[in-house]
Structures are given as C-alpha cells and as structure tokens.
Amino acid sequence: MSTTDEDSVQTTPPTNRLAWRDTNIYGSDTRDTLIGGLWASEGITNAYLYSMLEIICFFTNTFYLYDDRKQLVRKDGQQLRPGNYFVVTTGSISVTDEVPLICAVSLPSGPRVESFRESVFQRDRQCVITGNKAMYAHVGRWMGFEATHIFSLAFERQWNDRNLSRLITVPPANESHGSINSVQNGIMLTCEMHRFFASYELAINPDDNYKIVCFTADLSPFHIAGRHLDQTFIDNPLRPPDDLLRWHFRQAVLVNIKGVGEPTYEDDFPP
Ligand SMILES: *[C@@H]1O[C@H](CO)[C@@H](O)[C@H](O)[C@H]1NC(C)=O
Ligand SMILES: *[C@@H]1O[C@H](CO)[C@@H](O)[C@H](O)[C@H]1NC(C)=O
C-alpha cells in the first residue's frame, strides 16, 4: 500500500483472544452460553464487569452477576477476581451486533499527518500513558514517540458520517486537513504504547477519572494498568474530549470482551 494518509487494512490470518483470558462470563448458571470474557487486569473492578456487560449486551430487566461460589458480585470498586461469572436476570439477554472499527496498526504519513503530529507533540511532550519524556523535544527530536489518533485516520469516512467534528473545538491549523487531524483527536505515546492503543489492547476510561485500562497481560511489565492520567493533561483545554476517549474505550470493550473477542492482527508497519 502506498504511503498516503490512510492506515492499511491487514489480511493476515486472525486468532481469537481466548488465549489470554482468565475470566469468563456466562449467560446463566448452567454456563452453556459464553457471553464474553477478559483478562482481569489490575484496575478492573467488579463495577467494570457490570458496565462492560452493558456495552456488549442488552438486558430487558435488571441483572446481577454471581461468581463461582454463587455469591452475588457487588457493583463496587473491588478488584475483579479472575474466575467464572454468570448473569442472573428475570429478563432476557441479547448480545449486541455492534461491530468495532478495527484496522491494522500502521503509521500514516503525508502533510496532514505531519502537522497533526507536531501539534500533539508540542502539547504533550511526553507519553501520556507511561510518562516517558521526549528528552530532546526542545530541538524537535521525537525519536521513539508517535502522535496517535484516538479515532483512526483509517476511518475518516465514518468520522464524517457520524459528524464527529462536532466534538472538536480546536480545528487543525490548516482546516483543509480535516477535523480528524485536530490536536484534540490525538495523544502522544511511545511507539510501543501506540501499538497497544491503536489495537485497543489499552484504553482510557474518562468515566473513572481517566483510568488506564489494560486488556492483555502483555502490558504487565509497564506497570500502567489501573493508573490514572496526569492531572495536568486532564486540565489541558486542548486534550481529547471525553466523548472520543469514551468511543475508544467502548471499541476496546467490544474487541476484547464480547464473545471470543475480535481477531488479533500482527502489526503492519510500512517499509
Ligand atoms: C450531520 O450533520 C448534518 C449537517 O449538519 C446533518 O444533516 C446530519 O443529519 C447529521 N448526521 C448525524 C448522524 O448526526
Ligand atoms: C493546507 O493544506 C492543503 C492540503 O494539504 C494545501 O494544499 C495548502 O497549501 C495548505 N494551506 C496552507 C495555508 O498551508
């Protein structure tokens, strides 16, 4: 694929996400219907299990979760224990057919992206997830960092269809670059974090004080799971709006938790 502004769409054979799960969610205590599952990463609480189920399922009535020991799981801030959980409800459950927007991780290029990168780098000057600083930012050297689109540039058509420019209050310096390239649709990450974020293995939950939520054990060595973004970043009026982070978090839940999970893709970096 040529180096245009588009991310390329990958076609390598996919695998599912069962391999790294330690927690399963079933539709009833007979456990014959797997609704989904996850890896109970640090920072994922009992309340998350409820709210994530509300993303992947529709319920016609109130529902409760019970654990292996047939104990009610309270909707609280306790760390989720790995294991089996099942839903109890007098209503019915249906799993959403909402499909997340997935693309292979690649580094787009072109003049539109150059000015996007510059504005994101100037705002953040460090990885907003790990806190790693760009040591030579003052001379414009950003080796090892990426400006990551929250809503991928590969989906500019969907961005436009959904009128997401309404979330943007600071257009890019050159408005012909499109609102998707606003600094408000970007965060600065290390190259490694860029891959995890763009493949939805990592997300930020704006409804839990910007907690970093990890969906795979691969992220354990970084000690970021369950941490919160820096307050200075949260206070910055140029940072991404909550609705964009919420959209990304929702994709991550659909990708990782629903059913057996979406296929995983190898990274695809253009030569
Ligand atoms: C998007 O905005 C256009 C023009 O403002 C409007 O006609 C259209 O209904 C909007 N679409 C959605 C999905 O909100
Ligand atoms: C804005 O971007 C367009 C497309 O990249 C380019 O043709 C135009 O020269 C740019 N305008 C300015 C003022 O830089």
Side-chain angles (χ1 to χ4, degrees):
M1 195 152 175
S2 63
T3 49
T4 61
D5 278 357
E6 307 299 316
D7 286 354
S8 61
V9 175
Q10 180 88 356
T11 54
T12 43
T15 58
N16 66 42
R17 292 174 193 247
L18 292 176
W20 54 75
R21 282 184 177 175
D22 61 9
T23 300
N24 296 308
I25 313 162
Y26 296 93
S28 71
D29 61 356
T30 59
R31 301 203 186 141
D32 46 10
T33 328
L34 180 75
I35 295 179
L38 67 154
W39 180 68
S41 173
E42 199 172 334
I44 294 187
T45 63
N46 290 338
Y48 270 66
L49 198 58
Y50 280 88
S51 58
M52 295 198 289
L53 263 178
E54 282 168 8
I55 291 175
I56 63 171
C57 296
F58 298 106
F59 295 92
T60 58
N61 209 338
T62 316
F63 70 96
Y64 299 95
L65 284 157
Y66 282 74
D67 65 15
D68 281 331
R69 298 168 301 181
K70 305 214 169 183
Q71 298 291 308
L72 174 69
V73 178
R74 293 184 196 288
K75 213 183 275 191
D76 60 19
Q78 289 276 315
Q79 172 67 33
L80 179 70
R81 276 189 315 104
N84 294 310
Y85 293 85
F86 59 91
V87 176
V88 172
T89 178
T90 54
S92 65
I93 313 170
S94 49
V95 175
T96 176
D97 55 10
E98 183 176 347
V99 177
L101 295 180
I102 305 177
C103 65
V105 178
S106 64
L107 300 177
S109 58
R112 302 199 307 151
V113 174
E114 277 315 304
S115 65
F116 165 79
R117 293 179 70 191
E118 188 60 25
S119 59
V120 170
F121 286 161
Q122 290 302 342
R123 184 196 61 203
D124 295 338
R125 304 176 87 85
Q126 62 178 31
C127 172
V128 305
I129 299 280
T130 63
N132 286 18
K133 290 187 169 47
M135 303 306 279
Y136 297 101
H138 57 288
V139 292
R141 180 176 157 87
W142 306 99
M143 188 73 175
F145 294 92
E146 269 309 318
T148 304
H149 287 84
I150 312 270
F151 196 104
S152 170
L153 201 47
F155 298 116
E156 191 166 13
R157 187 173 56 76
Q158 288 84 345
W159 171 278
N160 291 330
D161 289 349
R162 297 172 192 191
N163 280 349
L164 291 180
S165 62
R166 71 192 140 80
L167 302 178
I168 299 298
T169 54
V170 183
N174 182 336
E175 291 204 32
S176 76
H177 292 173
S179 59
I180 196 169
N181 285 306
S182 161
V183 66
Q184 290 174 298
N185 186 35
I187 49 174
M188 179 167 164
L189 296 177
T190 61
C191 295
E192 237 164 356
M193 289 302 133
H194 165 79
R195 284 180 233 169
F196 286 117
F197 186 90
S199 60
Y200 303 117
E201 284 165 48
L202 152 70
I204 295 161
N205 184 1
D207 299 313
D208 186 17
N209 193 23
Y210 306 92
K211 187 188 270 181
I212 299 166
V213 182
C214 296
F215 293 90
T216 70
D218 300 334
L219 284 152
S220 302
F222 298 99
H223 305 293
I224 50 171
R227 282 179 26 193
H228 297 267
L229 297 192
D230 272 3
Q231 194 60 41
T232 44
F233 175 82
I234 297 166
D235 291 342
N236 192 323
L238 299 180
R239 60 118 170 133
D242 288 354
D243 275 341
L244 273 184
L245 295 173
R246 199 172 283 126
W247 172 84
H248 180 270
F249 181 78
R250 185 181 181 85
Q251 305 303 298
V253 170
L254 291 168
V255 163
N256 291 289
I257 315 257
K258 182 180 140 184
V260 296
E262 291 293 326
T264 63
Y265 295 89
E266 293 298 310
D267 292 349
D268 171 31
F269 285 88

